Amino acid sequence: METVIKVENLTRRFGEFTAVDHINFEVHAGEVVGYLGPNGSGKTTTIRMLLGLLKPSDGGATVLGYDVATQSEDVRARVGYMSQKFAIYDDLTTLENLTFYGGVYGITDKARIQHTLELVGLKGHESTLTKDMSTGWRQRLSLGIALVHEPKLLFLDEPTSGVDPTARRAFWDLIYELAEGGVTILVTTHYMDEAEYCERVGVMRDGKLLAMDTPTALKKSIITGDVWEVYANPLERGLEILSALEGVERVGLAGDYLRVISQRVGKEAMQSLLEGSGIRVEKIEKGEPTLEDVFLSLAR
Amino acid sequence: MTDYLVNATNLKKTFGATHAVDDISLHVREGEIYGLVGSDGAGKTTTMRLLVGALLPDAGEITVCGYDVRRQIEQVRSQVGYLSQRFSMYEDLTVLENIRFFAEVRGLSQTEWLPRSMEILEFVGLANFKDRHAGQLSGGMKQKLGLASALVTRPRLLLLDEPTTGVDPVTRQDFWQLVIKLVSQHEKVDTETGRQVDISTTQTRHAPRATQQSKVSVIISTPYMDEASRCHRVGFVKTGKIIAEDTPSNLRARLNGRVLELRGDPINVLRHVAHQDEDVEDVAAFGDKLHVRAREGKSELILSRLPDEIKSAGGNLIDLRVIPPALEDVFIALSER
C-alpha cells in the first residue's frame, strides 16, 4: 500500500511548552483517518506541520513523498485543506467563489471548475449567492474549494460542525466517493458522530498520540470492562455511591440513567449496594461501548 | 396541564417568505431535559427566542411557569436563563465581575448576588478562578462562566442554544454532568413569586413563607446525536416543524430490528450489492463497516439473501447482523419521508 503520510517522532515546541511530542503514524492511500483530541492537545499543530506551515522542532514527516520541512510548497500544491472557519465570500455566487479559489491555485480551466461543482453536488446552483445557502450547502462549497486543484490528500478540520445528520451523511458519502477514487483523507473532529465514520481514529492528549486504530478495535482494546446502564433514583446519590466503589472505572450521568464502566463489579453487586443505601433501582442493562467511552478513558 | 413548565402551542413565525417556525407545539415538564435536534436553519434558535419572548410569534400561545409570554414578559424573564450560541462576556472583567454584571442587570440586590454567585461558581467548578480575567479562561471555562451567568438568578427554565459547538468531548462531558445535576436537584421555590430562593436569606430577611419542591427544566438545541441521546425527551426539528418527539429509547425502538451491520471487503463491493437489494432502504458507510436499513419486516430476507449476493459479486463477508438502531439512523429515516 502506498504511504501518503509518514510521521516520525514529529515534535513541536513553543518555548517551554511541547505542543506535539514525538508522534509516529502512517496513513495509506485512500484511507479515511480521524484525528481526535481535546482543545490544545496538539491536533492543529500537527496539521499545520503536515501542511508545511510550521517547522518541526524535532523529527519530521513526509506528505505524498515530500518532506514537510524542506519541500513545503510541493506539499501545499498537492493537498487540499478545508477549515471550519474557511472564508467563503458571501456576496459571491457558488461559481464565482470556486473560480476565485481555483485562480489562487492557478486553475483557470472552466471544465475543471464545472467538474468540481458536479462532484460536490452543487450543479444547478452555480448562480446562488453563498449567503443564501444553508450550512450544509456551504460546507459542500468549502469542500469544492479544497478540491478544485484535484489534491491527492485532503485535510478536513471539523468539516460538519453544525450540520444535521442528513447533511452530514450526504457529506460523508461524498468523502467515501473521493476515497474510492484514491484520495486520502485526514479529519479532525470533536464529535463522535463523525469519528464513527472514519476507518481509523487517532486520539491525542497533551501532544502525544495515545492510540490509532479502527473504531471497533479501539473499543475492544481500550474499554476492557463492561458497560452498564443503571436506572436508579435518586440519580445523584447513586453516582456518589458507585463512584466510590472499588473496581468501578468510570461513572457518568447520562440523562436519566448512570453509565458505568466496570471490570469487576457486576450487575448484582451494584444493585445490592444501591438498594442497601436506600436507592430505588429500576433496572440495570448492559450497554455497548462507544468511541466517546474510548476518548474519555484515554483523555483523562 | 399544571405539571408542564413550558406550554407552547401552534407556534408560527415567518421571516419574509421563510417559515422559520411552522406550527410547533412544545410541552416541557419540571425537571426535564428536552432536546431540540436539527440542523442550522431548522428553526431551533427561533423557537428558543420565541420561548424567552425575544421574538413575538405570528400565531400561537406560550406560557412559561404559568406566565403568558405576550402579556407577562417580565415575569417570564425572571424565570428563564438563556445561554445563546454566541455568549458574550467582558473579557477584561474577572469571572466574579462578569457574574455580578449579569446579576445586577437582572435586578439582584447586593445582598443576594454575592452568596448566590459563589454558590454557582462552586457548582460549575470556577470558584478558584473567580479573580481571573474572563479573557484568560480556556474555552471550556468560558462556557462554564456562561452557564453560571445564566444560572445566577436561579431560573426555573434554562435554555441552552447549541452550548457545546466547537467544544471538545472532555469539556462537553463535564458540561453535561453539570446540566444533569442541575435538573436532578430539588430546589426550594417561593410560592408567592415562583422564584427559587435561598432558604437562608428568606429566613433572615422575611418571615418564612410556604415553599414547595421544584426542579429546573432545560431545553437544549443541538445538531449532534451523541448530545441528543443524553436528553430525557427529544424533538427532531426540520423546516420549522417537529417531525418526531419521544424519549431517545422510544425513538430508537421505531427502527428495532431494521438496522443491520455489514462488515467485509472490499467495502465498495459490499456497498454496491447492498444498494441493489430491493428490500434495502438505505446504506451508509461507517469507517470499516456499513449500516444497512431494511424495509419494514424485510430484515430476515436480507439476512438470508445478502451473503450469497456478496459472494457472487466477488466480495468477502465477515459479519452481517442486526444491531440496535442509533438515534442518527432514526433521524435520517424520518427526514427522508
Side-chain angles (χ1 to χ4, degrees):
Chain A
M1 246 189 299
E2 188 195 337
T3 303
V4 172
I5 302 176
K6 189 173 173 62
V7 173
E8 280 180 301
N9 289 321
L10 188 67
T11 302
R12 174 69 203 201
R13 294 183 203 95
F14 296 104
E16 294 284 286
F17 176 66
T18 307
V20 175
D21 193 359
H22 295 88
I23 63 170
N24 293 280
F25 67 90
E26 281 186 18
V27 178
H28 304 289
E31 258 197 304
V32 181
V33 175
Y35 211 56
L36 274 72
N39 293 325
S41 61
K43 295 192 309 277
T44 308
T45 306
T46 306
I47 303 283
R48 287 171 62 84
M49 284 194 281
L50 293 180
L51 284 166
L53 296 169
L54 200 61
K55 288 252 186 298
S57 313
D58 197 5
T62 59
V63 168
L64 297 161
Y66 296 96
D67 188 311
V68 296
T70 58
Q71 299 170 292
S72 60
E73 284 182 19
D74 290 297
V75 170
R76 282 202 294 278
R78 287 165 182 82
V79 303
Y81 179 47
M82 176 184 160
S83 157
Q84 193 195 344
K85 293 174 189 82
F86 192 83
I88 295 176
Y89 292 96
D90 265 354
D91 47 353
L92 295 187
T93 65
T94 308
L95 185 63
E96 286 164 346
N97 264 293
L98 262 185
T99 309
F100 173 81
Y101 281 103
V104 172
Y105 282 107
I107 308 293
T108 49
D109 181 1
K110 285 206 175 91
R112 172 88 71 90
I113 291 182
Q114 275 303 329
H115 172 75
T116 308
L117 261 174
E118 257 171 64
L119 184 69
V120 298
L122 287 176
K123 198 173 155 58
H125 297 271
E126 289 84 349
S127 39
T128 309
L129 280 180
T130 316
K131 65 177 172 207
D132 296 331
M133 300 197 324
S134 70
T135 316
W137 290 96
R138 291 168 65 93
Q139 246 124 6
R140 282 171 184 230
L141 178 57
S142 293
L143 181 65
I145 288 167
L147 286 173
V148 71
H149 60 302
E150 297 183 344
K152 299 300 290 171
L153 171 64
L154 194 55
F155 290 106
L156 306 173
D157 186 11
E158 295 189 35
T160 64
S161 205
V163 308
D164 75 46
T166 321
R168 185 155 57 232
R169 190 167 281 186
F171 185 89
W172 276 89
D173 279 344
L174 202 57
I175 295 297
Y176 280 115
E177 245 173 69
L178 291 168
E180 265 185 53
V183 179
T184 307
I185 290 138
L186 191 70
V187 193
T188 70
T189 182
H190 281 327
Y191 287 94
M192 302 303 141
D193 288 15
E194 194 146 87
E196 287 280 1
Y197 281 107
C198 300
E199 288 168 275
R200 281 197 300 149
V201 171
V203 180
M204 280 204 81
R205 189 193 64 192
D206 299 335
K208 295 195 171 68
L209 182 63
L210 300 179
M212 191 183 264
D213 213 331
T214 64
T216 314
L218 283 175
K219 288 174 200 167
K220 210 179 243 175
S221 63
I222 307 289
I223 306 301
T224 49
D226 291 321
V227 179
W228 298 100
E229 293 174 358
V230 180
Y231 292 80
N233 200 353
L235 210 53
E236 250 193 291
R237 185 89 185 92
L239 175 74
E240 280 166 29
I241 289 169
L242 291 179
S243 306
L245 187 59
E246 204 178 322
V248 167
E249 282 165 49
R250 189 156 55 79
V251 189
L253 292 161
D256 55 354
Y257 63 91
L258 299 170
R259 193 170 168 82
V260 182
I261 298 179
S262 158
Q263 292 262 23
R264 286 179 282 134
V265 185
K267 184 176 171 177
E268 286 72 25
M270 284 190 284
Q271 179 143 8
S272 63
L273 181 71
L274 289 170
E275 284 173 347
S277 313
I279 291 171
R280 198 162 50 82
V281 179
E282 268 171 59
K283 58 180 174 181
I284 299 181
E285 288 177 344
K286 194 89 180 271
E288 294 268 328
T290 63
L291 265 186
E292 181 156 35
D293 294 327
V294 170
F295 187 89
L296 291 173
S297 297
L298 287 172
R300 294 211 192 237
Chain B
M1 286 197 277
T2 47
D3 56 334
Y4 288 115
L5 204 71
V6 176
N7 268 309
T9 38
N10 306 111
L11 294 185
K12 287 188 182 173
K13 182 71 190 176
T14 309
F15 299 110
T18 311
H19 297 282
V21 172
D22 191 6
D23 205 10
I24 280 183
S25 294
L26 200 65
H27 306 283
V28 180
R29 291 182 198 93
E30 263 183 22
E32 189 170 41
I33 304 177
Y34 186 97
L36 283 169
V37 178
S39 64
D40 274 13
K44 306 189 303 276
T45 300
T46 307
T47 303
M48 288 210 170
R49 301 180 117 196
L50 291 174
L51 295 178
V52 295
L55 281 175
L56 282 181
D58 299 335
E61 299 297 325
I62 314 168
T63 61
V64 173
C65 306
Y67 297 111
D68 186 320
V69 168
R70 281 179 202 270
R71 289 190 304 270
Q72 297 167 294
I73 186 64
E74 286 311 314
Q75 287 93 326
V76 169
R77 287 203 178 127
S78 72
Q79 308 287 341
V80 177
Y82 180 40
L83 181 59
S84 77
Q85 269 174 55
R86 281 171 197 80
F87 168 70
S88 58
M89 60 182 74
Y90 296 95
E91 303 231 322
D92 50 348
L93 295 186
T94 66
V95 167
L96 193 59
E97 286 165 346
N98 263 287
I99 297 209
R100 176 180 191 166
F101 174 80
F102 284 99
E104 287 182 347
V105 166
R106 305 297 291 271
L108 255 67
S109 70
Q110 192 96 31
T111 46
E112 281 175 304
W113 78 263
L114 187 61
R116 176 60 184 162
S117 298
M118 286 315 295
E119 185 192 322
I120 285 291
L121 287 176
E122 203 72 57
F123 174 71
V124 301
L126 284 181
N128 291 336
F129 302 95
K130 68 178 170 49
D131 297 323
R132 188 179 284 194
H133 283 121
Q136 269 141 32
L137 298 175
S138 70
M141 286 160 110
K142 279 186 181 161
Q143 190 198 29
K144 286 177 180 169
L145 175 55
L147 182 65
S149 303
L151 287 175
V152 74
T153 55
R154 296 178 186 274
R156 293 179 63 197
L157 173 66
L158 182 63
L159 295 173
L160 306 171
D161 194 6
E162 296 195 22
T164 67
T165 295
V167 169
D168 73 65
V170 175
T171 309
R172 199 157 67 232
Q173 170 79 359
D174 287 347
F175 187 80
W176 270 95
Q177 300 300 301
L178 289 176
V179 170
I180 299 169
K181 269 188 193 155
L182 193 70
V183 297
S184 53
Q185 282 175 348
H186 286 266
E187 290 208 44
K188 294 283 182 187
V189 171
D190 186 314
T191 48
E192 278 179 38
T193 64
R195 179 182 275 186
Q196 288 171 7
V197 289
D198 223 22
I199 299 156
S200 54
T201 53
T202 323
Q203 283 168 344
T204 50
R205 286 170 50 235
H206 316 280
R209 286 193 290 213
T211 54
Q212 66 182 56
Q213 298 288 324
S214 163
K215 288 176 164 186
V216 178
S217 304
V218 176
I219 300 178
I220 186 163
S221 73
T222 178
Y224 291 101
M225 295 299 143
D226 52 359
E227 301 218 301
S229 61
R230 298 176 207 234
C231 298
H232 297 148
R233 244 173 358 123
V234 166
F236 286 156
V237 188
K238 205 180 173 184
T239 54
K241 293 182 192 312
I242 292 183
I243 57 172
E245 180 184 70
D246 214 326
T247 62
S249 51
N250 284 346
L251 285 169
R252 280 191 283 261
R254 293 187 183 195
L255 282 182
N256 262 350
R258 287 177 56 196
V259 181
L260 314 178
E261 184 182 282
L262 176 58
R263 286 195 301 129
D265 49 85
I267 198 114
N268 303 335
V269 171
L270 268 58
R271 187 142 71 127
H272 295 307
V273 171
H275 256 304
Q276 273 158 18
D277 192 298
E278 56 175 11
D279 291 326
V280 169
E281 220 167 54
D282 181 51
V283 183
F286 279 86
D288 53 346
K289 51 193 185 288
L290 299 170
H291 282 193
V292 174
R293 189 170 79 234
R295 290 189 199 286
E296 188 103 50
K298 301 290 186 185
S299 288
E300 289 304 319
L301 276 174
I302 293 171
L303 283 170
S304 63
R305 190 163 54 205
L306 220 48
D308 289 336
E309 290 178 353
I310 288 166
K311 205 174 169 188
S312 54
N316 171 37
L317 177 71
I318 296 172
D319 194 18
L320 175 63
R321 65 190 175 113
V322 175
I323 56 165
L327 264 189
E328 175 167 325
D329 298 314
V330 180
F331 185 96
I332 287 169
L334 290 167
S335 300
E336 282 166 1
R337 284 191 189 161

